């Protein structure tokens, strides 16, 4: 009886582990809603409770364990490895990250604004491609995310190229010229709250932070989606837009980046 019970428990545990580790992740990677619920609600909540740590803290630990200090690309690889094989996180990711790299390299910007730092993944990708005289200003609303991002950025050795400011984008955008002496941005990467893409774009226009040729690059325009932003940016005579089809970070769900050049 006892042996039978033991076998049953062991078998049940094996099934649950298989469901958690392989079967459910395989299924949800093709469904946007299920993927976000599974990774952002169930898995994150469970691991937070079991480890008494947060996902950003676990991501930082993976960087400190696996990345070479002072090597930005090894930091990016360590985060990608963590997110693909350990725990999903809402970075732009490796697939869309290559598109981001291409846009940054082609634009060769002097002044870059990033809205939504999270843990600093895209911040490191962008800053590692900038010329020595360039500057990246990145805005993060969540102080806990900002705390982790600063450590990730320092581990990559890029702290001298980056100004991380905490606060709401709507409050900080009008202060950019005063705080940093920046007249206009050559490139803006939007990856914060999706309902802020459109109002923050209009705010940057109003504040004169966009010049003719300035590039807006917006992440997650399909998943979770930014329909109001896309409708505006694609129909405005002030912009010339191009959609780069890809996938939601570390899944097979369709997503993409929208590149929009400000025509003045």
């Amino acid at each position: 009886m006892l042996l039978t019970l033991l076998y049953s428990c062991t078998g049940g545990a094996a099934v649950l582990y298989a469901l958690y580790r392989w079967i459910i992740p395989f299924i949800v990677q093709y469904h946007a809603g299920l993927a976000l619920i599974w990774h952002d609600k169930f898995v994150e909540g469970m691991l937070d409770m079991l480890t008494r740590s947060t996902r950003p803290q676990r991501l930082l630990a993976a960087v400190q364990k696996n990345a070479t200090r002072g090597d930005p690309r090894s930091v990016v690889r360590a985060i990608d490895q963590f997110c693909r094989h350990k725990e999903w996180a809402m970075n732009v990711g490796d697939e869309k990250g290559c598109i981001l790299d291409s846009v940054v390299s082609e634009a060769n910007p002097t002044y870059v604004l990033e809205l939504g730092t999270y843990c600093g993944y895209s911040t490191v990708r962008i800053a590692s491609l900038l010329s020595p005289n360039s500057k990246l200003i990145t805005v993060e609303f969540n102080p806990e995310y900002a705390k982790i991002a600063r450590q990730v950025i320092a581990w990559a050795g890029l702290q001298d190229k980056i100004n991380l400011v905490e606060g709401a984008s709507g409050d900080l955008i009008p202060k950019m010229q005063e705080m940093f002496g920046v007249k206009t941005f050559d490139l803006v990467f939007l990856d914060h709250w999706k309902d802020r893409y459109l109002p923050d774009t209009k705010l940057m226009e109003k504040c004169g932070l966009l010049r003719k040729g300035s590039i807006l690059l917006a992440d997650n325009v399909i998943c979770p989606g930014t329909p109001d932003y896309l409708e505006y940016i694609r129909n405005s005579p002030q912009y010339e837009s191009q959609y780069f089809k890809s996938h939601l970070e570390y899944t097979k769900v369709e997503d993409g980046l929208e590149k929009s050049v400000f025509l003045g």
Side-chain angles (χ1 to χ4, degrees):
M1 173 78 77
L2 184 60
L3 192 58
T4 302
L5 180 62
L6 182 61
Y7 282 142
S8 298
C9 291
T10 304
V15 170
L16 288 174
Y17 181 78
L19 283 168
Y20 165 76
R21 190 69 179 83
W22 296 296
I23 299 172
I24 295 177
F26 176 79
I27 294 171
V28 304
Q29 70 173 327
Y30 294 94
H31 189 284
L34 290 177
L36 293 174
I37 291 171
W38 171 254
H39 292 298
D40 260 353
K41 302 298 182 183
F42 181 79
V43 175
E44 183 175 13
M46 182 186 68
L47 290 176
D48 285 358
M49 181 180 64
L50 292 175
T51 65
R52 295 187 178 182
S53 65
T54 65
R55 175 177 287 166
Q57 288 170 341
R58 295 188 290 274
L59 184 149
L60 174 62
V63 168
Q64 293 172 335
K65 179 181 179 181
N66 300 307
T68 303
R69 189 187 288 271
D71 182 349
R73 286 292 140 176
S74 79
V75 170
V76 169
R77 286 193 299 270
I79 296 175
D80 283 333
Q81 185 79 4
F82 172 80
C83 294
R84 280 211 174 271
H85 303 291
K86 296 290 186 180
E87 187 177 352
W88 184 91
M90 58 179 180
N91 312 301
V92 66
D94 46 7
E95 187 178 349
K96 287 184 294 181
C98 291
I99 300 171
L100 172 62
D101 291 352
S102 177
V103 172
V104 173
S105 297
E106 183 181 353
N108 190 25
T110 301
Y111 293 106
V112 182
L113 174 63
E114 178 185 43
L115 300 177
T117 316
Y118 187 44
C119 295
Y121 174 89
S122 53
T123 315
V124 169
R125 287 196 85 119
I126 294 168
S128 68
L129 296 170
L130 298 180
S131 60
N133 63 331
S134 298
K135 200 72 176 178
L136 168 59
I137 299 166
T138 182
V139 174
E140 178 52 54
F141 179 77
N142 187 314
E144 292 302 316
Y145 294 168
K147 180 181 178 181
I148 296 296
R150 285 192 175 91
Q151 295 176 77
V152 170
I153 291 165
W155 198 271
L158 294 170
Q159 60 272 25
D160 292 339
K161 278 189 177 182
I162 299 165
N163 284 115
L164 195 164
V165 287
E166 296 179 37
S169 54
D171 296 333
L172 291 169
I173 286 172
K175 300 176 183 177
M176 285 292 158
Q177 293 174 333
E178 176 188 346
M179 291 174 66
F180 300 104
V182 178
K183 292 183 178 180
T184 58
F185 287 102
D186 305 303
L187 173 66
V188 180
F189 182 51
L190 298 95
D191 197 17
H192 56 328
W193 290 346
K194 309 314 162 192
D195 61 359
R196 290 299 311 175
Y197 280 25
L198 181 55
D200 284 347
T201 295
K202 290 182 176 180
L203 186 57
M204 286 186 286
E205 294 171 1
K206 181 181 177 181
C207 293
L209 290 170
L210 303 179
R211 59 162 178 81
K212 185 177 180 179
S214 290
I215 296 171
L216 304 184
L217 187 65
D219 188 22
N220 301 126
V221 296
I222 303 299
C223 182
T226 57
D228 58 340
Y229 174 80
L230 287 183
E231 182 180 2
Y232 173 78
I233 212 81
R234 290 175 177 177
N235 292 291
S236 171
Q238 295 186 99
Y239 294 94
E240 184 177 276
S241 279
Q242 180 182 4
Y243 173 63
F244 292 88
K245 184 178 179 180
S246 187
H247 297 95
L248 178 68
E249 42 269 28
Y250 315 111
T251 75
K252 300 297 184 182
V253 175
E254 183 183 342
D255 191 20
L257 296 162
E258 187 83 4
K259 175 188 175 185
S260 306
V261 180
F262 186 66
L263 303 178

